[in-house]
Amino acid sequence: MNLHSLGWTSSLTDAFASRPRPGLVPARVSREDRGVYTLLYEHGRFQAEVSGKLRHRTAARADYPAVGDWVVTEPGDASSRGVIHELLPRRSAFIRRMVGGQSQGQVVAANADIAFLVSGLDREFNPRRIERYLTLAWESGADPVVLLNKADLHAQPELARLQAEAIAPGVAVFLISAATGGGLRDLLTLLGPGRTGVLLGSSGVGKSSIINALIGREARKTSVVREADGRGRHTTTHRQLMVLPTGAMLIDTPGLREIQLLADEKALDRSFEDIDELAASCRFRDCSHNGEPDCAVQHALAEGLLEMDRYESWLRQCKETRFHQREQDVLLRIQEKKRWKTIQKTVREVYRYKGR
């Protein structure tokens, strides 16, 4: 297996070269199950666990290897698992807040070139949800693409595409159907050999069905949505990087029940470029667009040039990103306080030692 076919780059070569040690090889994480990682490398695949040293120096959950990551590892043998010693720098990472309101982030997928934001056109189509995915996708560093799956089940799929294009300026929107194969060829043109995409969306939108259709067999388990409410059954329970017959790679992910934002204002500005452009015409540079005089955003709302639903969605995301920023500031202050306490303790011990 050629490393470049798995997405290996010259920057990764440089990063790996700075860690010379006999017996170490680069490998890519294709799956993670309760701390056991399946890795792909030049000679096939093997399972490995994180070394005690890496575990000891890793404080945040997001700093552990995730599917799509490149790691420095020591392969095991027939009787033992390999050991992951280090994580190589990420090119991109789709991170969401951990379920339950915790402040830590959870890496859903790493080193993806394209984030495919999948919505189903049966009952799941929700423009406000797409807006939240877009903000996280821009924050991740990957290029977002909106996939409207199950187009064969919608009476007016073109109308849905126009709605999606209106809330995703500058982002490609594709109508596809995993069931009939419609539009999948367009998707493959975006993913050349060695490139990686990640499928993101709620349960039941058809992410695993898309992979099965592209591979040509049932590589991922699927199930029908519930008749009562049209929701998915959460069939996919783990993330996995799949290599397609074309040489491209797709990361399948379980349905995301909550999409709490971990993003900054730059990502928000890219998701809401229309509001950002309007804001440039406000009288005050620090206009909050919530009642100030000569506000271009409020003027656009009054004239019907900006939808109230989109404006309210922007307000909610603003509130979340500012809360996240304040939260990070508090965490940084706590970490800085701990650091200085450690330094002061070390200095006192040095003086105590010299005084003996």
Side-chain angles (χ1 to χ4, degrees):
M1 192 175 291
N2 186 312
L3 284 182
H4 290 284
S5 69
L6 294 174
W8 187 254
T9 62
S10 57
S11 60
L12 288 169
T13 301
D14 295 340
F16 183 73
S18 65
R19 298 156 172 85
R21 182 178 148 189
L24 296 183
V25 298
R28 193 166 192 191
V29 179
S30 70
R31 177 171 173 165
E32 191 257 331
D33 294 286
R34 299 176 184 272
V36 179
Y37 297 85
T38 301
L39 305 181
L40 304 177
Y41 76 134
E42 283 187 316
H43 303 294
R45 68 180 63 205
F46 63 95
Q47 290 189 323
E49 295 177 310
V50 170
S51 70
K53 190 174 181 180
L54 176 56
R55 194 182 303 279
H56 178 70
R57 67 169 182 259
T58 302
R61 183 71 184 85
D63 294 332
Y64 277 84
V67 173
D69 267 326
W70 283 94
V71 294
V72 178
T73 181
E74 189 174 359
D77 53 32
S79 60
S80 63
R81 290 174 178 147
V83 178
I84 297 173
H85 292 281
E86 201 167 341
L87 191 67
L88 290 174
R90 288 170 176 152
R91 189 174 68 256
S92 67
F94 190 93
I95 304 175
R96 67 162 182 171
R97 183 184 289 270
M98 289 186 72
V99 175
Q102 299 181 47
S103 59
Q104 288 201 44
Q106 178 187 37
V107 180
V108 177
N111 295 317
D113 300 291
I114 301 176
F116 292 109
L117 314 180
V118 188
S119 285
L121 287 185
D122 43 359
R123 301 183 191 180
E124 198 275 340
F125 183 63
N126 182 338
R128 305 287 81 83
R129 178 174 283 262
I130 294 175
E131 287 169 341
R132 299 181 73 79
Y133 276 115
L134 276 170
T135 300
L136 286 178
W138 285 123
E139 179 72 18
S140 76
D143 294 327
V145 169
V146 177
L147 299 182
L148 302 180
N149 191 24
K150 307 184 185 182
D152 54 311
L153 300 180
H154 196 281
Q156 295 179 296
E158 284 296 336
L159 181 61
R161 177 161 69 178
L162 291 175
Q163 283 182 279
E165 287 176 344
I167 61 168
V171 175
V173 179
F174 290 92
L175 286 171
I176 65 169
S177 170
T180 67
L184 294 183
R185 189 182 297 274
D186 296 332
L187 191 156
L188 283 175
T189 59
L190 298 174
L191 278 178
R195 284 172 62 81
T196 304
V198 56
L199 294 166
L200 301 156
S202 307
S203 295
V205 298
K207 301 185 295 297
S208 297
S209 298
I210 292 171
I211 286 185
N212 289 342
L214 292 173
I215 291 181
R217 60 182 174 83
E218 191 170 333
R220 302 287 285 167
K221 188 178 178 183
T222 61
S223 61
V224 296
V225 298
R226 293 194 298 256
E227 282 290 334
D229 54 11
R231 291 186 177 179
R233 297 176 186 271
H234 210 65
T235 309
T236 302
T237 56
H238 62 270
R239 305 173 189 91
Q240 186 164 351
L241 182 146
M242 309 287 291
V243 181
L244 304 182
T246 59
M249 286 155 286
L250 266 181
I251 299 175
D252 192 13
T253 62
L256 300 178
R257 290 171 175 160
E258 296 182 27
I259 321 172
Q260 298 188 47
L261 298 182
L262 281 180
D264 62 20
E265 292 186 359
K266 288 183 180 177
L268 195 62
D269 289 344
R270 295 202 70 174
S271 288
F272 293 89
E273 275 187 3
D274 48 350
I275 294 180
D276 190 45
E277 288 174 5
L278 285 169
S281 300
C282 292
R283 183 203 292 185
F284 303 109
R285 293 185 61 184
D286 59 348
C287 183
S288 68
H289 319 305
N290 200 18
E292 291 90 337
D294 296 331
C295 171
V297 175
Q298 290 295 329
H299 179 72
L301 281 170
E303 294 294 318
L305 302 174
L306 176 65
E307 288 187 3
M308 181 58 74
D309 285 348
R310 181 162 172 79
Y311 170 71
E312 290 177 344
S313 174
W314 172 80
L315 280 179
R316 283 194 294 273
Q317 292 197 32
C318 278
K319 186 178 178 182
E320 286 184 52
T321 53
R322 285 166 186 164
F323 173 79
H324 171 60
Q325 188 60 54
R326 289 196 300 271
E327 197 175 50
Q328 290 300 303
D329 291 344
V330 170
L331 287 174
L332 287 174
R333 283 200 297 271
I334 292 173
Q335 288 172 357
E336 188 67 5
K337 191 175 179 180
K338 283 183 178 176
R339 189 175 75 87
W340 277 107
K341 283 181 74 173
T342 303
I343 292 172
Q344 288 167 352
K345 183 179 178 182
T346 304
V347 170
R348 283 197 301 271
E349 288 176 351
V350 168
Y351 277 114
R352 191 179 304 123
Y353 175 78
K354 286 183 175 179
R356 287 180 179 173

